[in-house]
Amino acid sequence: MSNVTMEKIVSLCKRRGFIFPGSEIYGGLANTWDYGPYGVELKNNVKKYWWKKFVQNRQDIVGIDASILMNPRVWEASGHVASFSDPLMDCKNCHERVRGDKLIESKLGIDAAVGKSLKEIGEIIKKEQIPCPKCGKNDFTEARSFNLMFKTHQGVIEESSALVYLRPETAQGIFVNFKNILATTRKKIPFGIAQIGKAFRNEITPGNFTFRTREFEQMEIEYFIKTGTAVTMFEKLKQESWQFYTELGIKADKLRFREHDPKELSHYSKMTVDIEYEFPFGWGELMGLAHRGTYDLTQHSKFSGEELSYFDPETNEKFVPEVIEPSFGLDRSVLTFLIDAYDEDEISGEKRVVMRFHPVLAPIKVAVLPLVRNKTIITAKAKEIYNLLKKDFYLDYDESGSIGKRYRRQDEIGTPYCVTIDFDTVEKDNAVTVRNRDTTKQERVNINNLSSFLEQKIAN
Ligand code: GAP
């Protein structure tokens, strides 16, 4: 029985060192979160798997790592200066700031909210008497457009000529490097460029733990294609994106595709399909797949004066490629893996919390546990086994507390295997007990075969 709630996830994350509130000793900074020792392992494992699947295991996608700060003209060209905004309203009674479209969506559904002008948003909220989520009154300021990009200044002079933005998506770092990548890799269309990195958005209503924050990481691919191939490529990348989650153990019945209504599309998109997950607070977007057409390369060509086209050596044609973009939220994915893995069950009448992470994602792969701690022959053997396994697996070594308590601790952080060293290991059979997290079944494995036994179970 899962019985998962956001409260349980937030509390487990804090208690076991997955995710802490940001700047906590100073009273925190709203909606900022810091990944702790197990959280950073989990997050790195998600990145590693994604990078392997979409970059290293295939010939048609290469990676880059571009700067967060970019020439501000990039954001004029991309349309973010003019169009990357949300409808902001203030409650006149309690001064709560709300997103007008989200307020309508929560009461009347998404169809009632999409594609509405600022004026229409104000009118609907008034007509439907939608209350302020904080004080319950219906008395808001007019809706105004609020640009979500964070601004800062580069250098020592705080003047407009030194204005720079923190990138709101990693995608633009890819488009501005299109020419460099083409020249250095000689890739033939269709090919993609992938990037993992931070993005920043001054969200009006962040919340639901790490689901919506102002600083987050994205894993994005811009996939460049020939006109006329978009439908096939879109479908292929859509399936591959879905598989990314199911291969890592996400339950398929908790996932769904959702196609955007044309009125809901971002300024650059001709078509968007999201993969959504059923979070404890309802269905929410995990990643989005957009058909960006030739929008970005055309815009950058216009604004930079550089030609950003592709020459096809087979047809001797020059053209601006179209783009299909799978864009994954890394922090949202990590949150999803945490929620989906959470389980509660009972072992011989004793309740336990167990994180059923896919072994590839588990922060700790194997825990080495000497059965008793004050017997030097056993701890010496346990340390020997620790040293033997540490080349291949990220391990924990724990000798404090009863063996039952130690198993519980490992279950709670999702360690797939525990290796216990006892008297028989040293005196009789040169074997250890390997305990499976999910079944709690135990089996004796000879130390000579231990590494390969675990390797088989935990395909890295
Ligand atoms: N380049 C396209 C793009 O940025 P998006 O739908 O705005 O598209 C892509 O963002 C993904 O980034 C989302 O599906 C979500 O997983 C993640 N994301 C967006 N805003 C976020 C936020 N404020 N906090 C956490 N993740 C966010």
Side-chain angles (χ1 to χ4, degrees), residues 169 201 203 211 213 218 220 268 285-287 325 327 329:
E169 61 171 5
R201 295 181 189 177
E203 298 280 1
F211 180 80
T213 49
Q218 292 185 313
E220 297 200 295
Y268 51 74
E285 174 186 342
L286 252 185
M287 66 82 61
E325 176 199 63
S327 174

Side-chain angles (χ1 to χ4, degrees), residues 84 168-171 201 203 210-214 216-218 220 222 268 274 285-288 292 325 327-332:
F84 195 57
E169 61 171 5
T170 61
R201 295 181 189 177
E203 298 280 1
T210 56
F211 180 80
R212 191 182 307 284
T213 49
R214 295 189 170 111
F216 56 96
E217 269 185 89
Q218 292 185 313
E220 297 200 295
E222 306 306 321
Y268 51 74
D274 291 339
E285 174 186 342
L286 252 185
M287 66 82 61
R292 293 181 81 126
E325 176 199 63
S327 174
F328 297 73
L330 173 58
D331 303 83
R332 263 185 212 183

